[in-house]
Amino acid sequence: MANTETHSTLTNAPNANAIIDIRDLRKVYQLGKTSVEALRGVNFEVSEGEFTVVLGPSGSGKTTLLNIIGCLDRATSGTYRLDGEDVSQRDFNELAEVRNYKIGFIFQNFNLIPVLNVLENIEFPCLVRKEQQNRAELRERVRALCAEVGLERFMKHRPDELSGGQRQRVAIARALITQPRLVLADEPTANLDSKTSDQILELMQRLNRQHDTTFLFATHDPRVMDLARRTVRIKDGLVQPD
Amino acid sequence: MNILFQVALRNVFRNRRRSLFTLSALVVGLAVVLMITAVANSFHRFSVENAVNAKLGALQIHRSGYMNNLSLNPLSFKFEYSRDLLEKIESVRGVKAASGRIAFRGLVSNGRNQALFFANAVDVSREEKVCPRWLGALTLGSSALLSTDSAHAMVGHELARSLSVAPRAGVPAEGDASFIEAAPVEVASDTLNLSAASPEGRQNAVDVQVKATIRSLLPIEEKRSMVVPLSLAQSLLGMAGKVTEIAVAVDELDEISTVQRELQLVLGSEYEVSSWADVQPFLRDIVFRQRVMIAIVSVILFVLVLFVIANTMTMAVFERTREIGTMLSVGIKRGQIQTIFFSEALFVGVVGGFIGLVLGLVGVLITHRIGIPFGSVGFERGILRPFLTLEFVVAAFCVAVLCSGIAGIFPAKRAAGMNPVDALRSN
């Protein structure tokens, strides 16, 4: 049975242990003259090392919430503290830096850079950083991660030479290479067969335990829900009490 | 290599057909610009050399004020034609030769009819060093003036026809004279009478024997022009030992400004040194206008190339929207996205520019070797040899690369301005 727990009752003081600490988050989209409120005052916390699933039907605000958590988008109002830092008012380039240093992404469509091979795809987030990287040390880390996700024989392959499962492993390795505080996975198993999905989920769970990295999933896959230690339901732009 | 440049470079090779199309536009554009400029350069040089070698001389020396008072009495600007002066002129670096002349006008008569003429009196022995083609296009049956001739003339073909004179057939011309067919002349005689006024206004006349008739591109020259020995003009005009101009040949036409400056310094303010462009401003203007036209055509070609590159790059941005989203999600900054697309455009520019340069230069080299036959009456029957200056080649390459860079700015900005959420959502 799923290992779930209810989200804690929030106080006004920021939670020091929370990786994600969201208070009264609102997001309004302006569609012509009409305003659409996608998030209507979301309060939500995720502690370090959690393996959490966000559930919600289409149009519930789940994607908007994940985009804001992933620093891909900004809220209209409210505060969002990531790893203790308020990132709600950061500008585009500052958010890019937050994404690069603190967040790893795993997408449904893998989203690898087609002109780079496995090794280059994995090291890419480190290489776009301002500071000079020790390439030898980085390559060593990439190789270790490749071994961990079972890609050591495919390091020179381009994405189009890999299966769906292998591509998702590359995406996972890329998400972890920066040693992020949070990994966001948006439907990571949606494009995989059940056997490969199981392997990928098992891998993510193992990495969650080994690296103590916080994982936040958006999924409809019941297998993911079974593995999650916590489930957060979102409906009509609000987090539902368990 | 920086990862961003790697991504840019590999994307150029990723869609080979499109890159090839973009490259071709740049290659063809640059090669065409180089070719048309080279051909135009050769035509300009041909025209100028023809004018300089046939009549003008690269430089002309006159008494100060001559050029501004041509409509008054040019003969009043006479000066001493001395060996010292010639040596002084020929001692200047870059001067090949110098020769004295008198330009004058008068009436020519065959005893029954008379006509106005414009004559050039030339120092025959020196003139061929200054203007190697000074004999022009002589008609068949003509013979050139010799340094020993003193009462002879070369007459414009139409002028000779109107006065029913022609040279006595026989002695062929020497030197570079080219002989051409001309309409037959109903010959009454080979002698004409020239009358002209001295600088002081005293009339004088002399009989001359027609040695040649000359064809020219310009009708006015055929109808009015004559060439006579310098000694004859000096005697007719009462200008013994004097000339009104000295024509100067230079070693390198491209160095003409330097030689002109040096000569002016050596001769002082008593004389004025004019270049062929000062003497024949219409020729200079024709060259200038043609250069402007070529420049306009070149700009149009480069603008077209710019639009082709900008268009294909914009298509690339649209096709790679999700890839841009992915890069944004892993924390790449807007400036770095711009760098990728700008580098792609610049890479295409450098490669396309280089290939276009090579292709254009090979084309120019081949046409230079083979030559383009060119010639008409009054022009040397010669061959155009297309050429380019190093400065132009470097400038054309830089403009091609610059065009690519400019063409890359808009797509690069578009890519960098994408919202990561929208970019990731794109299919």
Side-chain angles (χ1 to χ4, degrees), chain B residues 2 8 40 53 99 107 207 225 256 272 285 311 323 339-340 373 375 377 397 404 417 421 426:
Chain B
N2 183 301
N53 291 334
S99 172
L107 288 172
D207 284 340
S225 73
I256 194 167
E272 61 187 20
D285 289 350
N311 189 39
E323 195 180 314
T339 303
I340 291 174
V377 175
F397 177 75
S404 301
V421 174
S426 149

Side-chain angles (χ1 to χ4, degrees), chain A residues 67 72-73 92-93 96-97 99-100 105 107 109 111 113-117 120 124-125 127-128 158 174, chain B residues 3-4 6-7 10-11 14 322-323 326-334 336 418-421 424:
Chain A
N67 286 339
L72 294 167
D73 202 356
F92 186 91
N93 276 339
E97 210 148 292
R99 289 197 295 271
N100 184 264
F105 288 91
F107 298 101
N109 294 312
N111 286 25
I113 298 167
V115 291
L116 300 180
N117 64 28
E120 292 162 336
F124 186 78
L127 294 177
V128 298
R158 291 271 175 98
R174 183 183 62 189
Chain B
I3 192 76
L4 302 180
Q6 274 184 49
V7 171
R10 288 183 198 175
N11 270 306
R14 178 179 171 191
R322 191 192 288 177
E323 195 180 314
T326 303
M327 289 194 276
L328 289 169
S329 74
V330 300
I332 201 168
K333 303 220 171 93
R334 291 205 193 279
Q336 290 173 307
M418 279 184 185
N419 179 314
V421 174
L424 282 168

Side-chain angles (χ1 to χ4, degrees), chain B residues 20-328:
Chain B
L20 219 61
F21 177 72
T22 317
L23 273 178
S24 319
L26 196 62
V27 167
V28 171
L30 184 57
V32 167
V33 166
L34 292 178
M35 281 299 294
I36 56 172
T37 307
V39 172
N41 282 348
S42 69
F43 180 70
H44 296 154
R45 178 172 280 184
F46 187 84
S47 308
V48 170
E49 278 183 354
N50 189 70
V52 164
N53 291 334
K55 196 170 177 184
L56 295 177
L59 295 166
Q60 291 187 2
I61 297 165
H62 303 98
R63 275 267 307 281
S64 287
Y66 178 89
M67 293 297 289
N68 288 334
N69 293 286
L70 276 174
S71 55
L72 298 172
N73 181 7
L75 294 179
S76 63
F77 288 87
K78 63 183 187 276
F79 57 92
E80 202 67 33
Y81 184 47
S82 67
R83 185 170 297 278
D84 281 354
L85 181 63
L86 285 172
E87 279 174 2
K88 205 171 173 183
I89 293 166
E90 288 178 342
S91 69
V92 171
R93 213 161 64 129
V95 170
K96 195 152 72 176
S99 172
R101 294 170 175 175
I102 298 174
F104 67 104
R105 59 193 165 192
L107 288 172
V108 56
S109 164
N110 62 1
R112 295 183 302 282
N113 303 315
Q114 63 178 15
L116 186 69
F117 73 86
F118 299 103
N120 260 324
V122 298
D123 184 344
V124 175
S125 59
R126 287 182 155 269
E127 191 66 28
E128 62 190 13
K129 289 179 199 150
V130 176
C131 293
R133 295 198 295 278
W134 72 281
L135 286 170
L138 303 187
T139 58
L140 279 172
S142 296
S143 54
L145 284 179
L146 301 174
S147 55
T148 50
D149 290 335
S150 57
H152 300 84
M154 292 172 19
V155 183
H157 183 67
E158 283 303 315
L159 183 60
R161 268 175 65 125
S162 68
L163 295 170
S164 306
V165 292
R168 278 189 192 150
V171 193
E174 291 174 357
D176 289 337
S178 51
F179 292 89
I180 56 173
E181 295 281 357
V185 177
E186 194 185 314
V187 180
S189 137
D190 70 340
T191 307
L192 289 170
N193 180 268
L194 309 184
S195 68
S198 72
E200 295 77 27
R202 195 178 62 251
Q203 287 290 331
N204 198 7
V206 66
D207 284 340
V208 293
Q209 186 192 332
V210 177
K211 282 195 81 175
T213 57
I214 323 159
R215 299 305 311 261
S216 168
L217 260 185
L218 304 170
I220 188 74
E221 287 196 340
E222 291 220 339
K223 286 178 183 168
R224 296 278 177 253
S225 73
M226 295 182 75
V227 181
V228 296
L230 186 61
S231 56
L232 181 138
Q234 285 172 333
S235 160
L236 176 68
L237 301 166
M239 288 172 54
K242 310 272 189 198
V243 290
T244 54
E245 78 181 31
I246 292 179
V248 178
V250 295
D251 292 327
E252 291 294 334
L253 215 49
D254 295 336
E255 303 291 324
I256 194 167
S257 307
T258 316
V259 182
Q260 185 179 6
R261 237 183 353 259
E262 292 281 314
L263 260 177
Q264 190 65 69
L265 273 174
V266 167
L267 295 173
S269 58
E270 193 184 339
Y271 298 93
E272 61 187 20
V273 183
S274 314
S275 70
W276 64 265
D278 303 324
V279 178
Q280 293 281 22
F282 81 91
L283 183 59
R284 181 193 57 201
D285 289 350
I286 287 171
V287 169
F288 176 73
R289 278 181 205 146
Q290 282 175 346
R291 290 213 165 118
V292 169
M293 285 303 295
I294 299 289
I296 291 171
V297 170
S298 303
V299 167
I300 291 170
L301 277 170
F302 277 127
V303 168
L304 284 175
V305 168
L306 191 145
F307 275 107
V308 168
I309 298 174
N311 189 39
T312 45
M313 287 292 300
T314 307
M315 279 165 65
V317 169
F318 282 129
E319 280 178 16
R320 281 154 55 193
T321 301
R322 191 192 288 177
E323 195 180 314
I324 294 165
T326 303
M327 289 194 276
L328 289 169

Side-chain angles (χ1 to χ4, degrees), chain B residues 373-389:
Chain B
F374 182 83
S376 61
V377 175
F379 273 105
E380 175 198 18
R381 294 227 173 107
I383 289 170
L384 296 181
R385 305 270 179 204
F387 71 95
L388 293 165
T389 58

